[in-house]
Amino acid sequence: MASTFKGLQRRPNRQRAQLSVLVGIRAIEAAVQGGAPLGHVAGTESALQNTRFQALSDALTEVPLYTADAETLNDLAPTATAQGLLATVRLPDLSLSGLWEAARTTLVLDGVQDPGNVGTLIRTAAWFGVDAVVAGPQTAGLFHPSVLRAGMGGHWDVRLARSSDLGEAIAQARRSGVTGYGADMGGTPAQYWHPVRPSLLVIGSEAHGLSPALLGALDEPVSVEGSASHPATESLNAAVAAGIVMHRWTVAAP
């Protein structure tokens, strides 16, 4: 048990095993409710006896449970503390197969490197009812433990995929009839934007925005304008700016 959790602290091991680690009761609850396949659960005696965990017992009848002290769990956790509970979860298929034909709305992450931002973007996309999230090669791992923590269960409410070539992925989407949008400071102000579906929305890196190649491959860039008293929007966090654009995208599109 210990070697399994310890090994998954490193990304190459997570990729090889196709597993990641959930930390704390909230993350485990969300995974169970989303139908995610859990592999092992380890917790302190008090955490395993907690009412919230016991409420999950019917869904965990075939999942091995291990008891450990808090110090041991904290040493095995991929984060600062284990919050009393750890669980392994099997990663879903992250291929693009059939995605463009099935999804009406797809959020695409182009070089979003901060795990907290990636998790928040997944969570926000799930909240707005976006169908899928696709990550490019320079974006943080979708199942990095910090991304899972920031995602707050959103991972199980959207289809997730990864592409090693976003340019080709977007070209494929457009051949399938998907309209391409991207968040960019020089684009159409969001309040004047009239999005259609099926469509994709690309969010660029925190430092550099959309890569020029992707920007040129899209149908229309979209921007977030500040108010007259606070015109600058460069300081907006990537996830905050994306949330503003996603609101318009999901509410205004027919």
mmCIF file of all heavy atoms in Angstrom, residues 45-64:
data_model
loop_
_atom_site.group_PDB
_atom_site.id
_atom_site.type_symbol
_atom_site.label_atom_id
_atom_site.label_comp_id
_atom_site.label_asym_id
_atom_site.label_seq_id
_atom_site.Cartn_x
_atom_site.Cartn_y
_atom_site.Cartn_z
ATOM 1 N N GLU A 45 -7.897 5.741 11.437
ATOM 2 C CA GLU A 45 -9.047 4.990 11.963
ATOM 3 C C GLU A 45 -10.264 5.892 12.122
ATOM 4 O O GLU A 45 -11.387 5.519 11.764
ATOM 5 C CB GLU A 45 -8.678 4.350 13.299
ATOM 6 C CG GLU A 45 -9.754 3.428 13.839
ATOM 7 C CD GLU A 45 -9.296 2.648 15.060
ATOM 8 O OE1 GLU A 45 -8.090 2.691 15.377
ATOM 9 O OE2 GLU A 45 -10.143 1.993 15.693
ATOM 10 N N SER A 46 -10.035 7.105 12.635
ATOM 11 C CA SER A 46 -11.161 8.016 12.850
ATOM 12 C C SER A 46 -11.778 8.454 11.518
ATOM 13 O O SER A 46 -13.007 8.584 11.402
ATOM 14 C CB SER A 46 -10.718 9.243 13.648
ATOM 15 O OG SER A 46 -9.705 9.963 12.951
ATOM 16 N N ALA A 47 -10.955 8.695 10.490
ATOM 17 C CA ALA A 47 -11.483 9.109 9.193
ATOM 18 C C ALA A 47 -12.301 8.002 8.537
ATOM 19 O O ALA A 47 -13.335 8.262 7.909
ATOM 20 C CB ALA A 47 -10.347 9.543 8.270
ATOM 21 N N LEU A 48 -11.827 6.762 8.678
ATOM 22 C CA LEU A 48 -12.555 5.637 8.082
ATOM 23 C C LEU A 48 -13.873 5.366 8.803
ATOM 24 O O LEU A 48 -14.800 4.794 8.215
ATOM 25 C CB LEU A 48 -11.681 4.380 8.090
ATOM 26 C CG LEU A 48 -10.437 4.422 7.198
ATOM 27 C CD1 LEU A 48 -9.587 3.176 7.395
ATOM 28 C CD2 LEU A 48 -10.818 4.561 5.728
ATOM 29 N N GLN A 49 -13.955 5.780 10.062
ATOM 30 C CA GLN A 49 -15.184 5.592 10.838
ATOM 31 C C GLN A 49 -16.107 6.799 10.766
ATOM 32 O O GLN A 49 -17.243 6.749 11.256
ATOM 33 C CB GLN A 49 -14.844 5.302 12.307
ATOM 34 C CG GLN A 49 -14.092 4.002 12.539
ATOM 35 C CD GLN A 49 -14.868 2.786 12.043
ATOM 36 O OE1 GLN A 49 -16.080 2.689 12.236
ATOM 37 N NE2 GLN A 49 -14.166 1.860 11.403
ATOM 38 N N ASN A 50 -15.641 7.863 10.121
ATOM 39 C CA ASN A 50 -16.436 9.083 10.029
ATOM 40 C C ASN A 50 -17.745 8.829 9.268
ATOM 41 O O ASN A 50 -17.791 8.048 8.324
ATOM 42 C CB ASN A 50 -15.620 10.164 9.314
ATOM 43 C CG ASN A 50 -16.333 11.495 9.266
ATOM 44 O OD1 ASN A 50 -17.130 11.730 8.367
ATOM 45 N ND2 ASN A 50 -16.048 12.361 10.219
ATOM 46 N N THR A 51 -18.791 9.517 9.687
ATOM 47 C CA THR A 51 -20.107 9.328 9.082
ATOM 48 C C THR A 51 -20.087 9.561 7.577
ATOM 49 O O THR A 51 -20.718 8.818 6.801
ATOM 50 C CB THR A 51 -21.135 10.270 9.728
ATOM 51 O OG1 THR A 51 -21.158 10.034 11.135
ATOM 52 C CG2 THR A 51 -22.525 10.049 9.158
ATOM 53 N N ARG A 52 -19.376 10.594 7.113
ATOM 54 C CA ARG A 52 -19.338 10.903 5.686
ATOM 55 C C ARG A 52 -18.683 9.777 4.897
ATOM 56 O O ARG A 52 -19.144 9.422 3.805
ATOM 57 C CB ARG A 52 -18.601 12.221 5.433
ATOM 58 C CG ARG A 52 -19.390 13.442 5.843
ATOM 59 C CD ARG A 52 -18.601 14.727 5.645
ATOM 60 N NE ARG A 52 -18.317 15.008 4.237
ATOM 61 C CZ ARG A 52 -17.642 16.082 3.836
ATOM 62 N NH1 ARG A 52 -17.169 16.951 4.737
ATOM 63 N NH2 ARG A 52 -17.426 16.291 2.549
ATOM 64 N N PHE A 53 -17.600 9.215 5.441
ATOM 65 C CA PHE A 53 -16.956 8.115 4.740
ATOM 66 C C PHE A 53 -17.831 6.870 4.782
ATOM 67 O O PHE A 53 -17.954 6.150 3.784
ATOM 68 C CB PHE A 53 -15.585 7.811 5.330
ATOM 69 C CG PHE A 53 -14.849 6.734 4.565
ATOM 70 C CD1 PHE A 53 -14.199 7.034 3.378
ATOM 71 C CD2 PHE A 53 -14.848 5.422 5.014
ATOM 72 C CE1 PHE A 53 -13.540 6.044 2.651
ATOM 73 C CE2 PHE A 53 -14.197 4.430 4.295
ATOM 74 C CZ PHE A 53 -13.540 4.745 3.112
ATOM 75 N N GLN A 54 -18.449 6.609 5.903
ATOM 76 C CA GLN A 54 -19.312 5.430 6.031
ATOM 77 C C GLN A 54 -20.477 5.483 5.051
ATOM 78 O O GLN A 54 -20.963 4.449 4.582
ATOM 79 C CB GLN A 54 -19.833 5.310 7.464
ATOM 80 C CG GLN A 54 -18.783 4.856 8.478
ATOM 81 C CD GLN A 54 -18.272 3.456 8.173
ATOM 82 O OE1 GLN A 54 -19.054 2.521 8.034
ATOM 83 N NE2 GLN A 54 -16.955 3.317 8.068
ATOM 84 N N ALA A 55 -20.917 6.698 4.692
ATOM 85 C CA ALA A 55 -22.015 6.839 3.733
ATOM 86 C C ALA A 55 -21.619 6.354 2.341
ATOM 87 O O ALA A 55 -22.485 6.094 1.494
ATOM 88 C CB ALA A 55 -22.464 8.293 3.664
ATOM 89 N N LEU A 56 -20.308 6.214 2.103
ATOM 90 C CA LEU A 56 -19.821 5.749 0.807
ATOM 91 C C LEU A 56 -19.585 4.247 0.777
ATOM 92 O O LEU A 56 -19.188 3.697 -0.249
ATOM 93 C CB LEU A 56 -18.493 6.443 0.466
ATOM 94 C CG LEU A 56 -18.475 7.976 0.458
ATOM 95 C CD1 LEU A 56 -17.050 8.464 0.212
ATOM 96 C CD2 LEU A 56 -19.423 8.518 -0.602
ATOM 97 N N SER A 57 -19.834 3.579 1.884
ATOM 98 C CA SER A 57 -19.426 2.179 2.037
ATOM 99 C C SER A 57 -20.024 1.264 0.969
ATOM 100 O O SER A 57 -19.361 0.341 0.484
ATOM 101 C CB SER A 57 -19.791 1.669 3.433
ATOM 102 O OG SER A 57 -21.185 1.783 3.664
ATOM 103 N N ASP A 58 -21.271 1.504 0.559
ATOM 104 C CA ASP A 58 -21.888 0.641 -0.449
ATOM 105 C C ASP A 58 -21.153 0.712 -1.780
ATOM 106 O O ASP A 58 -21.093 -0.271 -2.530
ATOM 107 C CB ASP A 58 -23.358 1.032 -0.660
ATOM 108 C CG ASP A 58 -24.239 0.637 0.513
ATOM 109 O OD1 ASP A 58 -23.774 -0.162 1.355
ATOM 110 O OD2 ASP A 58 -25.376 1.146 0.590
ATOM 111 N N ALA A 59 -20.596 1.891 -2.092
ATOM 112 C CA ALA A 59 -19.883 2.061 -3.357
ATOM 113 C C ALA A 59 -18.443 1.566 -3.281
ATOM 114 O O ALA A 59 -17.767 1.484 -4.308
ATOM 115 C CB ALA A 59 -19.902 3.532 -3.774
ATOM 116 N N LEU A 60 -17.972 1.255 -2.085
ATOM 117 C CA LEU A 60 -16.575 0.880 -1.896
ATOM 118 C C LEU A 60 -16.414 -0.568 -1.421
ATOM 119 O O LEU A 60 -15.379 -0.929 -0.875
ATOM 120 C CB LEU A 60 -15.911 1.823 -0.880
ATOM 121 C CG LEU A 60 -15.882 3.311 -1.274
ATOM 122 C CD1 LEU A 60 -15.305 4.146 -0.133
ATOM 123 C CD2 LEU A 60 -15.074 3.527 -2.541
ATOM 124 N N THR A 61 -17.427 -1.383 -1.656
ATOM 125 C CA THR A 61 -17.385 -2.754 -1.124
ATOM 126 C C THR A 61 -16.223 -3.568 -1.688
ATOM 127 O O THR A 61 -15.723 -4.480 -1.024
ATOM 128 C CB THR A 61 -18.706 -3.474 -1.429
ATOM 129 O OG1 THR A 61 -18.978 -3.386 -2.844
ATOM 130 C CG2 THR A 61 -19.858 -2.866 -0.647
ATOM 131 N N GLU A 62 -15.782 -3.267 -2.910
ATOM 132 C CA GLU A 62 -14.694 -4.031 -3.519
ATOM 133 C C GLU A 62 -13.372 -3.272 -3.528
ATOM 134 O O GLU A 62 -12.408 -3.700 -4.165
ATOM 135 C CB GLU A 62 -15.078 -4.418 -4.949
ATOM 136 C CG GLU A 62 -16.314 -5.315 -5.017
ATOM 137 C CD GLU A 62 -16.634 -5.760 -6.429
ATOM 138 O OE1 GLU A 62 -15.790 -5.522 -7.322
ATOM 139 O OE2 GLU A 62 -17.701 -6.344 -6.635
ATOM 140 N N VAL A 63 -13.327 -2.140 -2.824
ATOM 141 C CA VAL A 63 -12.109 -1.328 -2.763
ATOM 142 C C VAL A 63 -11.329 -1.673 -1.493
ATOM 143 O O VAL A 63 -11.884 -1.584 -0.391
ATOM 144 C CB VAL A 63 -12.456 0.172 -2.775
ATOM 145 C CG1 VAL A 63 -11.189 1.019 -2.614
ATOM 146 C CG2 VAL A 63 -13.178 0.536 -4.063
ATOM 147 N N PRO A 64 -10.062 -2.077 -1.594
ATOM 148 C CA PRO A 64 -9.271 -2.383 -0.398
ATOM 149 C C PRO A 64 -9.108 -1.144 0.492
ATOM 150 O O PRO A 64 -8.784 -0.057 -0.003
ATOM 151 C CB PRO A 64 -7.918 -2.826 -0.964
ATOM 152 C CG PRO A 64 -8.192 -3.199 -2.384
ATOM 153 C CD PRO A 64 -9.303 -2.316 -2.835
#
